[in-house]
Amino acid sequence: QVQLVSSGGGLVQAGDSLTVSCSVSGSTSSIYGMGWFRQGPGKEREFVGGALWSGHGARYSDSVKDRFRISRSRTNNTMYLYMNNLKLEDTAVYYCAVKVTPRGDFTSWGQGTQVTVSS
């Protein structure tokens, strides 16, 4: 089993940058891919970005492409979501997740961390 604990959210102003983290523990050798999702107020959860566990093959939603970046530290198995030029519409609870098969669902999730962007 894999456990994820996210952190690093907060209140920022539009145009600021923020990094959220996700500490991953347990059977990390079984992980195939990682992803970040978010759920804004009154909205459904949406995909933000994802990559192979190696960090390669990253892809992003159109709404965050060129502003957000995913990475993983091999040293401590921590996932990162680097967010730049934050916009009001980026306000959401951000969730990290991992999957163990190429075509399967994301099966392990972090508890979520709140990011609020103010004007």
Side-chain angles (χ1 to χ4, degrees), residues 38-67:
R38 68 184 182 185
Q39 186 166 16
K43 299 180 180 179
E44 294 187 353
R45 186 173 63 192
E46 64 173 350
F47 173 79
V48 173
L52 298 174
W53 187 235
S54 64
H56 295 101
R59 57 186 183 92
Y60 303 91
S61 67
D62 289 342
S63 61
V64 306
K65 191 176 181 181
D66 298 328
R67 297 189 298 122

PDB file of all heavy atoms in Angstrom, residues 38-67:
ATOM      1  N   ARG A  38      -7.391  18.872  -8.644  1.00  0.00           N
ATOM      2  CA  ARG A  38      -7.911  19.942  -7.794  1.00  0.00           C
ATOM      3  C   ARG A  38      -9.423  19.991  -7.879  1.00  0.00           C
ATOM      4  O   ARG A  38     -10.020  19.556  -8.869  1.00  0.00           O
ATOM      5  CB  ARG A  38      -7.310  21.289  -8.190  1.00  0.00           C
ATOM      6  CG  ARG A  38      -7.753  21.808  -9.548  1.00  0.00           C
ATOM      7  CD  ARG A  38      -7.011  23.109  -9.882  1.00  0.00           C
ATOM      8  NE  ARG A  38      -7.444  23.665 -11.166  1.00  0.00           N
ATOM      9  CZ  ARG A  38      -6.875  24.732 -11.728  1.00  0.00           C
ATOM     10  NH1 ARG A  38      -5.850  25.349 -11.120  1.00  0.00           N
ATOM     11  NH2 ARG A  38      -7.322  25.176 -12.880  1.00  0.00           N
ATOM     12  N   GLN A  39      -9.999  20.533  -6.826  1.00  0.00           N
ATOM     13  CA  GLN A  39     -11.450  20.731  -6.788  1.00  0.00           C
ATOM     14  C   GLN A  39     -11.728  22.123  -6.261  1.00  0.00           C
ATOM     15  O   GLN A  39     -11.468  22.414  -5.083  1.00  0.00           O
ATOM     16  CB  GLN A  39     -12.141  19.678  -5.926  1.00  0.00           C
ATOM     17  CG  GLN A  39     -13.651  19.758  -5.987  1.00  0.00           C
ATOM     18  CD  GLN A  39     -14.327  18.531  -5.412  1.00  0.00           C
ATOM     19  OE1 GLN A  39     -13.703  17.738  -4.706  1.00  0.00           O
ATOM     20  NE2 GLN A  39     -15.601  18.357  -5.733  1.00  0.00           N
ATOM     21  N   GLY A  40     -12.213  22.971  -7.147  1.00  0.00           N
ATOM     22  CA  GLY A  40     -12.552  24.326  -6.768  1.00  0.00           C
ATOM     23  C   GLY A  40     -13.929  24.400  -6.134  1.00  0.00           C
ATOM     24  O   GLY A  40     -14.705  23.447  -6.215  1.00  0.00           O
ATOM     25  N   PRO A  41     -14.263  25.508  -5.507  1.00  0.00           N
ATOM     26  CA  PRO A  41     -15.570  25.654  -4.865  1.00  0.00           C
ATOM     27  C   PRO A  41     -16.714  25.502  -5.855  1.00  0.00           C
ATOM     28  O   PRO A  41     -16.743  26.198  -6.880  1.00  0.00           O
ATOM     29  CB  PRO A  41     -15.514  27.064  -4.264  1.00  0.00           C
ATOM     30  CG  PRO A  41     -14.391  27.750  -4.958  1.00  0.00           C
ATOM     31  CD  PRO A  41     -13.421  26.715  -5.374  1.00  0.00           C
ATOM     32  N   GLY A  42     -17.588  24.569  -5.579  1.00  0.00           N
ATOM     33  CA  GLY A  42     -18.734  24.328  -6.444  1.00  0.00           C
ATOM     34  C   GLY A  42     -18.411  23.635  -7.743  1.00  0.00           C
ATOM     35  O   GLY A  42     -19.243  23.577  -8.651  1.00  0.00           O
ATOM     36  N   LYS A  43     -17.192  23.097  -7.836  1.00  0.00           N
ATOM     37  CA  LYS A  43     -16.784  22.446  -9.080  1.00  0.00           C
ATOM     38  C   LYS A  43     -16.456  20.979  -8.839  1.00  0.00           C
ATOM     39  O   LYS A  43     -16.221  20.557  -7.705  1.00  0.00           O
ATOM     40  CB  LYS A  43     -15.554  23.141  -9.663  1.00  0.00           C
ATOM     41  CG  LYS A  43     -15.766  24.612 -10.007  1.00  0.00           C
ATOM     42  CD  LYS A  43     -14.488  25.206 -10.571  1.00  0.00           C
ATOM     43  CE  LYS A  43     -14.665  26.672 -10.914  1.00  0.00           C
ATOM     44  NZ  LYS A  43     -13.405  27.267 -11.456  1.00  0.00           N
ATOM     45  N   GLU A  44     -16.411  20.221  -9.909  1.00  0.00           N
ATOM     46  CA  GLU A  44     -15.981  18.843  -9.813  1.00  0.00           C
ATOM     47  C   GLU A  44     -14.452  18.781  -9.801  1.00  0.00           C
ATOM     48  O   GLU A  44     -13.774  19.699 -10.247  1.00  0.00           O
ATOM     49  CB  GLU A  44     -16.533  18.036 -11.006  1.00  0.00           C
ATOM     50  CG  GLU A  44     -18.049  17.909 -10.999  1.00  0.00           C
ATOM     51  CD  GLU A  44     -18.540  16.972 -12.072  1.00  0.00           C
ATOM     52  OE1 GLU A  44     -17.720  16.531 -12.897  1.00  0.00           O
ATOM     53  OE2 GLU A  44     -19.753  16.689 -12.092  1.00  0.00           O
ATOM     54  N   ARG A  45     -13.955  17.679  -9.287  1.00  0.00           N
ATOM     55  CA  ARG A  45     -12.508  17.496  -9.274  1.00  0.00           C
ATOM     56  C   ARG A  45     -12.005  17.389 -10.706  1.00  0.00           C
ATOM     57  O   ARG A  45     -12.618  16.740 -11.549  1.00  0.00           O
ATOM     58  CB  ARG A  45     -12.147  16.237  -8.497  1.00  0.00           C
ATOM     59  CG  ARG A  45     -10.668  16.024  -8.303  1.00  0.00           C
ATOM     60  CD  ARG A  45     -10.414  14.861  -7.374  1.00  0.00           C
ATOM     61  NE  ARG A  45     -10.904  13.610  -7.936  1.00  0.00           N
ATOM     62  CZ  ARG A  45     -11.018  12.482  -7.241  1.00  0.00           C
ATOM     63  NH1 ARG A  45     -10.710  12.475  -5.965  1.00  0.00           N
ATOM     64  NH2 ARG A  45     -11.459  11.390  -7.826  1.00  0.00           N
ATOM     65  N   GLU A  46     -10.880  18.044 -10.965  1.00  0.00           N
ATOM     66  CA  GLU A  46     -10.326  18.038 -12.305  1.00  0.00           C
ATOM     67  C   GLU A  46      -8.842  17.687 -12.286  1.00  0.00           C
ATOM     68  O   GLU A  46      -8.136  17.951 -11.310  1.00  0.00           O
ATOM     69  CB  GLU A  46     -10.520  19.397 -12.986  1.00  0.00           C
ATOM     70  CG  GLU A  46      -9.785  20.530 -12.334  1.00  0.00           C
ATOM     71  CD  GLU A  46      -9.879  21.831 -13.137  1.00  0.00           C
ATOM     72  OE1 GLU A  46     -10.350  21.792 -14.290  1.00  0.00           O
ATOM     73  OE2 GLU A  46      -9.456  22.882 -12.606  1.00  0.00           O
ATOM     74  N   PHE A  47      -8.400  17.124 -13.381  1.00  0.00           N
ATOM     75  CA  PHE A  47      -6.997  16.777 -13.552  1.00  0.00           C
ATOM     76  C   PHE A  47      -6.178  18.042 -13.771  1.00  0.00           C
ATOM     77  O   PHE A  47      -6.559  18.908 -14.558  1.00  0.00           O
ATOM     78  CB  PHE A  47      -6.874  15.834 -14.749  1.00  0.00           C
ATOM     79  CG  PHE A  47      -5.472  15.512 -15.163  1.00  0.00           C
ATOM     80  CD1 PHE A  47      -4.729  14.569 -14.475  1.00  0.00           C
ATOM     81  CD2 PHE A  47      -4.899  16.141 -16.258  1.00  0.00           C
ATOM     82  CE1 PHE A  47      -3.444  14.259 -14.867  1.00  0.00           C
ATOM     83  CE2 PHE A  47      -3.623  15.849 -16.663  1.00  0.00           C
ATOM     84  CZ  PHE A  47      -2.887  14.893 -15.966  1.00  0.00           C
ATOM     85  N   VAL A  48      -5.063  18.152 -13.061  1.00  0.00           N
ATOM     86  CA  VAL A  48      -4.164  19.290 -13.222  1.00  0.00           C
ATOM     87  C   VAL A  48      -2.946  18.885 -14.045  1.00  0.00           C
ATOM     88  O   VAL A  48      -2.578  19.550 -15.015  1.00  0.00           O
ATOM     89  CB  VAL A  48      -3.713  19.827 -11.851  1.00  0.00           C
ATOM     90  CG1 VAL A  48      -2.633  20.902 -12.015  1.00  0.00           C
ATOM     91  CG2 VAL A  48      -4.900  20.369 -11.079  1.00  0.00           C
ATOM     92  N   GLY A  49      -2.324  17.799 -13.646  1.00  0.00           N
ATOM     93  CA  GLY A  49      -1.156  17.327 -14.361  1.00  0.00           C
ATOM     94  C   GLY A  49      -0.744  15.961 -13.862  1.00  0.00           C
ATOM     95  O   GLY A  49      -1.121  15.550 -12.769  1.00  0.00           O
ATOM     96  N   GLY A  50       0.048  15.271 -14.675  1.00  0.00           N
ATOM     97  CA  GLY A  50       0.508  13.944 -14.291  1.00  0.00           C
ATOM     98  C   GLY A  50       1.788  13.580 -15.012  1.00  0.00           C
ATOM     99  O   GLY A  50       2.160  14.227 -16.005  1.00  0.00           O
ATOM    100  N   ALA A  51       2.441  12.569 -14.508  1.00  0.00           N
ATOM    101  CA  ALA A  51       3.699  12.118 -15.106  1.00  0.00           C
ATOM    102  C   ALA A  51       3.967  10.694 -14.657  1.00  0.00           C
ATOM    103  O   ALA A  51       3.342  10.180 -13.723  1.00  0.00           O
ATOM    104  CB  ALA A  51       4.847  13.024 -14.670  1.00  0.00           C
ATOM    105  N   LEU A  52       4.910  10.068 -15.335  1.00  0.00           N
ATOM    106  CA  LEU A  52       5.392   8.787 -14.857  1.00  0.00           C
ATOM    107  C   LEU A  52       6.084   8.992 -13.505  1.00  0.00           C
ATOM    108  O   LEU A  52       6.538  10.092 -13.196  1.00  0.00           O
ATOM    109  CB  LEU A  52       6.368   8.185 -15.868  1.00  0.00           C
ATOM    110  CG  LEU A  52       5.791   7.870 -17.255  1.00  0.00           C
ATOM    111  CD1 LEU A  52       6.907   7.421 -18.185  1.00  0.00           C
ATOM    112  CD2 LEU A  52       4.707   6.820 -17.155  1.00  0.00           C
ATOM    113  N   TRP A  53       6.175   7.955 -12.724  1.00  0.00           N
ATOM    114  CA  TRP A  53       6.824   8.059 -11.427  1.00  0.00           C
ATOM    115  C   TRP A  53       8.277   8.525 -11.565  1.00  0.00           C
ATOM    116  O   TRP A  53       8.820   9.161 -10.683  1.00  0.00           O
ATOM    117  CB  TRP A  53       6.742   6.729 -10.707  1.00  0.00           C
ATOM    118  CG  TRP A  53       7.229   6.726  -9.293  1.00  0.00           C
ATOM    119  CD1 TRP A  53       8.182   5.921  -8.750  1.00  0.00           C
ATOM    120  CD2 TRP A  53       6.772   7.558  -8.219  1.00  0.00           C
ATOM    121  NE1 TRP A  53       8.348   6.199  -7.416  1.00  0.00           N
ATOM    122  CE2 TRP A  53       7.501   7.211  -7.062  1.00  0.00           C
ATOM    123  CE3 TRP A  53       5.832   8.591  -8.121  1.00  0.00           C
ATOM    124  CZ2 TRP A  53       7.311   7.826  -5.830  1.00  0.00           C
ATOM    125  CZ3 TRP A  53       5.646   9.206  -6.887  1.00  0.00           C
ATOM    126  CH2 TRP A  53       6.378   8.826  -5.769  1.00  0.00           C
ATOM    127  N   SER A  54       8.884   8.237 -12.690  1.00  0.00           N
ATOM    128  CA  SER A  54      10.252   8.689 -12.959  1.00  0.00           C
ATOM    129  C   SER A  54      10.326  10.200 -13.149  1.00  0.00           C
ATOM    130  O   SER A  54      11.408  10.780 -13.113  1.00  0.00           O
ATOM    131  CB  SER A  54      10.787   8.009 -14.216  1.00  0.00           C
ATOM    132  OG  SER A  54      10.034   8.410 -15.351  1.00  0.00           O
ATOM    133  N   GLY A  55       9.174  10.813 -13.393  1.00  0.00           N
ATOM    134  CA  GLY A  55       9.139  12.246 -13.665  1.00  0.00           C
ATOM    135  C   GLY A  55       9.036  12.571 -15.139  1.00  0.00           C
ATOM    136  O   GLY A  55       8.758  13.708 -15.514  1.00  0.00           O
ATOM    137  N   HIS A  56       9.239  11.561 -15.972  1.00  0.00           N
ATOM    138  CA  HIS A  56       9.161  11.774 -17.410  1.00  0.00           C
ATOM    139  C   HIS A  56       7.708  11.783 -17.892  1.00  0.00           C
ATOM    140  O   HIS A  56       6.812  11.339 -17.198  1.00  0.00           O
ATOM    141  CB  HIS A  56       9.944  10.678 -18.147  1.00  0.00           C
ATOM    142  CG  HIS A  56      11.401  10.722 -17.884  1.00  0.00           C
ATOM    143  ND1 HIS A  56      12.006   9.859 -16.984  1.00  0.00           N
ATOM    144  CD2 HIS A  56      12.388  11.515 -18.357  1.00  0.00           C
ATOM    145  CE1 HIS A  56      13.297  10.123 -16.943  1.00  0.00           C
ATOM    146  NE2 HIS A  56      13.552  11.129 -17.752  1.00  0.00           N
ATOM    147  N   GLY A  57       7.535  12.303 -19.089  1.00  0.00           N
ATOM    148  CA  GLY A  57       6.226  12.230 -19.727  1.00  0.00           C
ATOM    149  C   GLY A  57       5.173  13.106 -19.108  1.00  0.00           C
ATOM    150  O   GLY A  57       3.990  12.787 -19.162  1.00  0.00           O
ATOM    151  N   ALA A  58       5.559  14.215 -18.514  1.00  0.00           N
ATOM    152  CA  ALA A  58       4.582  15.075 -17.854  1.00  0.00           C
ATOM    153  C   ALA A  58       3.612  15.688 -18.859  1.00  0.00           C
ATOM    154  O   ALA A  58       3.992  16.057 -19.971  1.00  0.00           O
ATOM    155  CB  ALA A  58       5.293  16.173 -17.084  1.00  0.00           C
ATOM    156  N   ARG A  59       2.385  15.773 -18.433  1.00  0.00           N
ATOM    157  CA  ARG A  59       1.377  16.452 -19.242  1.00  0.00           C
ATOM    158  C   ARG A  59       0.475  17.223 -18.305  1.00  0.00           C
ATOM    159  O   ARG A  59       0.328  16.865 -17.138  1.00  0.00           O
ATOM    160  CB  ARG A  59       0.572  15.462 -20.079  1.00  0.00           C
ATOM    161  CG  ARG A  59      -0.140  14.374 -19.284  1.00  0.00           C
ATOM    162  CD  ARG A  59      -0.793  13.356 -20.205  1.00  0.00           C
ATOM    163  NE  ARG A  59      -1.540  12.355 -19.446  1.00  0.00           N
ATOM    164  CZ  ARG A  59      -2.822  12.456 -19.157  1.00  0.00           C
ATOM    165  NH1 ARG A  59      -3.513  13.489 -19.578  1.00  0.00           N
ATOM    166  NH2 ARG A  59      -3.430  11.505 -18.466  1.00  0.00           N
ATOM    167  N   TYR A  60      -0.127  18.298 -18.840  1.00  0.00           N
ATOM    168  CA  TYR A  60      -0.875  19.221 -18.011  1.00  0.00           C
ATOM    169  C   TYR A  60      -2.189  19.596 -18.671  1.00  0.00           C
ATOM    170  O   TYR A  60      -2.322  19.539 -19.900  1.00  0.00           O
ATOM    171  CB  TYR A  60      -0.045  20.487 -17.769  1.00  0.00           C
ATOM    172  CG  TYR A  60       1.303  20.215 -17.129  1.00  0.00           C
ATOM    173  CD1 TYR A  60       2.433  19.982 -17.920  1.00  0.00           C
ATOM    174  CD2 TYR A  60       1.443  20.186 -15.751  1.00  0.00           C
ATOM    175  CE1 TYR A  60       3.660  19.711 -17.345  1.00  0.00           C
ATOM    176  CE2 TYR A  60       2.669  19.920 -15.165  1.00  0.00           C
ATOM    177  CZ  TYR A  60       3.769  19.683 -15.964  1.00  0.00           C
ATOM    178  OH  TYR A  60       4.985  19.420 -15.394  1.00  0.00           O
ATOM    179  N   SER A  61      -3.121  20.017 -17.854  1.00  0.00           N
ATOM    180  CA  SER A  61      -4.366  20.532 -18.405  1.00  0.00           C
ATOM    181  C   SER A  61      -4.079  21.873 -19.078  1.00  0.00           C
ATOM    182  O   SER A  61      -3.107  22.566 -18.750  1.00  0.00           O
ATOM    183  CB  SER A  61      -5.408  20.712 -17.301  1.00  0.00           C
ATOM    184  OG  SER A  61      -5.018  21.730 -16.413  1.00  0.00           O
ATOM    185  N   ASP A  62      -4.908  22.222 -20.018  1.00  0.00           N
ATOM    186  CA  ASP A  62      -4.704  23.475 -20.748  1.00  0.00           C
ATOM    187  C   ASP A  62      -4.741  24.688 -19.814  1.00  0.00           C
ATOM    188  O   ASP A  62      -4.064  25.686 -20.066  1.00  0.00           O
ATOM    189  CB  ASP A  62      -5.776  23.625 -21.832  1.00  0.00           C
ATOM    190  CG  ASP A  62      -5.575  22.659 -22.982  1.00  0.00           C
ATOM    191  OD1 ASP A  62      -4.464  22.118 -23.129  1.00  0.00           O
ATOM    192  OD2 ASP A  62      -6.547  22.437 -23.733  1.00  0.00           O
ATOM    193  N   SER A  63      -5.505  24.595 -18.741  1.00  0.00           N
ATOM    194  CA  SER A  63      -5.663  25.746 -17.854  1.00  0.00           C
ATOM    195  C   SER A  63      -4.409  26.061 -17.049  1.00  0.00           C
ATOM    196  O   SER A  63      -4.258  27.180 -16.545  1.00  0.00           O
ATOM    197  CB  SER A  63      -6.845  25.529 -16.916  1.00  0.00           C
ATOM    198  OG  SER A  63      -6.629  24.378 -16.115  1.00  0.00           O
ATOM    199  N   VAL A  64      -3.504  25.089 -16.909  1.00  0.00           N
ATOM    200  CA  VAL A  64      -2.310  25.322 -16.097  1.00  0.00           C
ATOM    201  C   VAL A  64      -1.026  25.154 -16.894  1.00  0.00           C
ATOM    202  O   VAL A  64       0.062  25.442 -16.377  1.00  0.00           O
ATOM    203  CB  VAL A  64      -2.262  24.381 -14.885  1.00  0.00           C
ATOM    204  CG1 VAL A  64      -3.539  24.480 -14.067  1.00  0.00           C
ATOM    205  CG2 VAL A  64      -1.976  22.948 -15.286  1.00  0.00           C
ATOM    206  N   LYS A  65      -1.162  24.686 -18.117  1.00  0.00           N
ATOM    207  CA  LYS A  65       0.026  24.453 -18.936  1.00  0.00           C
ATOM    208  C   LYS A  65       0.844  25.730 -19.030  1.00  0.00           C
ATOM    209  O   LYS A  65       0.321  26.820 -19.188  1.00  0.00           O
ATOM    210  CB  LYS A  65      -0.411  23.989 -20.329  1.00  0.00           C
ATOM    211  CG  LYS A  65       0.717  23.476 -21.181  1.00  0.00           C
ATOM    212  CD  LYS A  65       0.180  22.939 -22.498  1.00  0.00           C
ATOM    213  CE  LYS A  65       1.305  22.384 -23.355  1.00  0.00           C
ATOM    214  NZ  LYS A  65       0.806  21.867 -24.648  1.00  0.00           N
ATOM    215  N   ASP A  66       2.133  25.611 -18.941  1.00  0.00           N
ATOM    216  CA  ASP A  66       3.083  26.720 -18.998  1.00  0.00           C
ATOM    217  C   ASP A  66       3.149  27.520 -17.701  1.00  0.00           C
ATOM    218  O   ASP A  66       3.964  28.439 -17.592  1.00  0.00           O
ATOM    219  CB  ASP A  66       2.770  27.682 -20.149  1.00  0.00           C
ATOM    220  CG  ASP A  66       2.871  27.016 -21.505  1.00  0.00           C
ATOM    221  OD1 ASP A  66       3.702  26.099 -21.652  1.00  0.00           O
ATOM    222  OD2 ASP A  66       2.106  27.400 -22.404  1.00  0.00           O
ATOM    223  N   ARG A  67       2.308  27.172 -16.707  1.00  0.00           N
ATOM    224  CA  ARG A  67       2.375  27.858 -15.417  1.00  0.00           C
ATOM    225  C   ARG A  67       2.728  26.900 -14.288  1.00  0.00           C
ATOM    226  O   ARG A  67       3.363  27.300 -13.312  1.00  0.00           O
ATOM    227  CB  ARG A  67       1.037  28.531 -15.093  1.00  0.00           C
ATOM    228  CG  ARG A  67       0.634  29.628 -16.061  1.00  0.00           C
ATOM    229  CD  ARG A  67      -0.578  30.394 -15.539  1.00  0.00           C
ATOM    230  NE  ARG A  67      -1.753  29.550 -15.406  1.00  0.00           N
ATOM    231  CZ  ARG A  67      -2.415  29.368 -14.271  1.00  0.00           C
ATOM    232  NH1 ARG A  67      -2.022  29.975 -13.159  1.00  0.00           N
ATOM    233  NH2 ARG A  67      -3.488  28.593 -14.229  1.00  0.00           N
TER     234      ARG A  67
END
